[in-house]
Amino acid sequence: MSDKVYRVCEPFLNGNETKYVMDAVSTGWISSSGAYVNKFEEAFSSYCGVKHGIAVCNGTVALHLAMAALGIGKGDEVIIPSFTMIATAFAVCYTGAVPVFVDADKDTWNIDVKKIEEKITSKTKAIIPVHVFGNPCDMSAICDIAKRHNLFIVEDAAEAHGATYKGRKVGSFSDIACFSFFANKNVTTGEGGMCVTDDDRYDKLCRYYKNVCFNPDGPRDYMHQDIGFNYRMSNIHAAIGFAQTEKADEYKKMRMGNHALYKKYLSDVPGVLFQKDEQDSENVGWMNTIVIDPDKYGRTRDELIAHLKDNNIDTRLLFKSMHIQPSLIKYGCDCSGGYPVTEWLSENGFYLPSASDLTEEDIAHICSVIKDFAR
C-alpha cells in the first residue's frame, strides 16, 4: 500500500496568487472596494465570452442574486435537475419560489431535456440547467424550450469553468449564469462566486442587490428603496481569482487530461461506468466520477469505497436526489413521483481524487487499486 494520501481535491495555486494578495494587503485594500475585484470581474467574464461579471461571496448567493435580478419570487416555479448539489434548490427557495425537479439523463447525467416540458406550468418562470461535473447541458434544446414558453435561463455553471458547447463557453447561453470558486473548482478563490451576463440591465440589478441596494448612480445617502443583500467579494479573494483566471486554460487542460487518463486506465474494467459527454461539447472533467454496476464489477460501490480508504484514497458520495431532501419536503416542494436515474447515480456513484496537479503515476496507482479489487 502506498503511504501517499490521495485527497478528493486540493486547490492548485501555481500563478500570481501570493503576489496579488500581498499587493492587496500591503496597500490596505482588503475589502470589496479594491482594484482586484474589477480586474477579476473583467477577466473572468471575458474568459466566458460575456460582457459583465459580478463577483460575490459564493456560488449559492450568485444563484440567488441572479433570480432576484430577474424578479423571481413567491408564487413562481423554477425548474431544476433532481441530480444537483442542494444549493441549486436552496437558492430558489430563498426567493420564495418553488423548485420543480426533473430527472437526470442516464448517459450525460445532466437534466433530461426530454422531460422538462412536462413540468412546465403557468407558474414556471425559469429553468436552471446544471452543467454536472463539468459536462455542458444540451443548451440548444434548453434554449428552444425557454423561447417557446417565455422562460428565463439561469445557468448553474459552478462545476464547469471553461467548458464549451458547440464552440461557446458555458455561461454565455443564459440570461444570467452563475459560477462557484470554492477550493475544489478549476478556478478558485477559496470561497467565492460570480454572476455573468450580456444584459446591461441585469448587470446593474445584480450590482444593486448584492450591495444592500445602495444607489449605484447616486451618493451614499443610506436611503434604501429595496431589500438587498451583502453578497460582496473581498479584494483578497478577487486577487486570488484574478491570478487563477490568468491560468484558467492551463488548469482546464490539466483537469481534462486527468479525466482522459482515468478513462484510459479503467475503460476495460467491467462494471465501471463513466459519464458520457454531451454531443458537440467539451467536458472539463471537474470531478472524476464513476458509477459501479455491482453485478458486473463483483463488488458494491460501498465495498469499493471502503477498500480505497484502506489504501489512503479519499472519495466522496454523489448528490442525493432533491425529491428526498427533508428540507425541501418541509418547504412544500412536490416530491412525489420517481426519479430513477438520479436514484441510480446516488446509490452507485462516487468521486475519485480530482486535483488539477495529479500525475499520471498517481492516477495509474488509483486505477490499479480499483482494478485489483474487482471480482
Side-chain angles (χ1 to χ4, degrees), residues 39-72:
K39 289 181 178 180
F40 182 32
E41 290 175 337
E42 292 172 3
F44 191 77
S45 60
S46 177
Y47 179 69
C48 295
V50 298
K51 288 168 58 177
H52 304 292
I54 305 96
V56 294
C57 49
N58 60 63
T60 307
V61 304
L63 287 165
H64 180 211
L65 187 65
M67 285 180 286
L70 295 173
I72 292 169

Side-chain angles (χ1 to χ4, degrees), residues 46-180:
S46 177
Y47 179 69
C48 295
V50 298
K51 288 168 58 177
H52 304 292
I54 305 96
V56 294
C57 49
N58 60 63
T60 307
V61 304
L63 287 165
H64 180 211
L65 187 65
M67 285 180 286
L70 295 173
I72 292 169
K74 190 173 182 179
D76 295 336
E77 294 177 351
V78 178
I79 290 176
I80 71 169
S82 56
F83 186 63
T84 184
M85 201 274 188
I86 202 167
T88 311
F90 280 176
V92 176
C93 298
Y94 298 158
T95 70
V98 176
V100 175
F101 316 128
V102 174
D103 202 6
D105 177 86
K106 190 167 184 178
D107 292 327
T108 66
W109 308 351
N110 285 324
I111 191 168
D112 188 337
V113 296
K114 298 184 296 297
K115 297 180 178 178
I116 291 176
E117 287 189 284
E118 65 190 50
K119 294 296 184 82
I120 293 175
T121 73
S122 60
K123 297 179 180 180
T124 307
K125 292 295 186 292
I127 305 170
I128 304 182
V130 180
H131 305 301
V132 173
F133 308 140
N135 191 21
C137 294
D138 183 351
M139 292 309 300
S140 292
I142 291 169
C143 289
D144 287 345
I145 292 168
K147 186 176 181 179
R148 281 199 300 275
H149 296 274
N150 194 29
L151 304 176
F152 295 117
I153 299 175
V154 177
E155 283 174 89
D156 184 338
E159 304 168 4
H161 310 66
T164 62
Y165 175 79
K166 294 187 176 180
R168 284 171 55 186
K169 293 270 181 66
V170 300
S172 65
F173 293 90
S174 48
D175 296 283
I176 306 174
C178 303
F179 290 83
S180 166

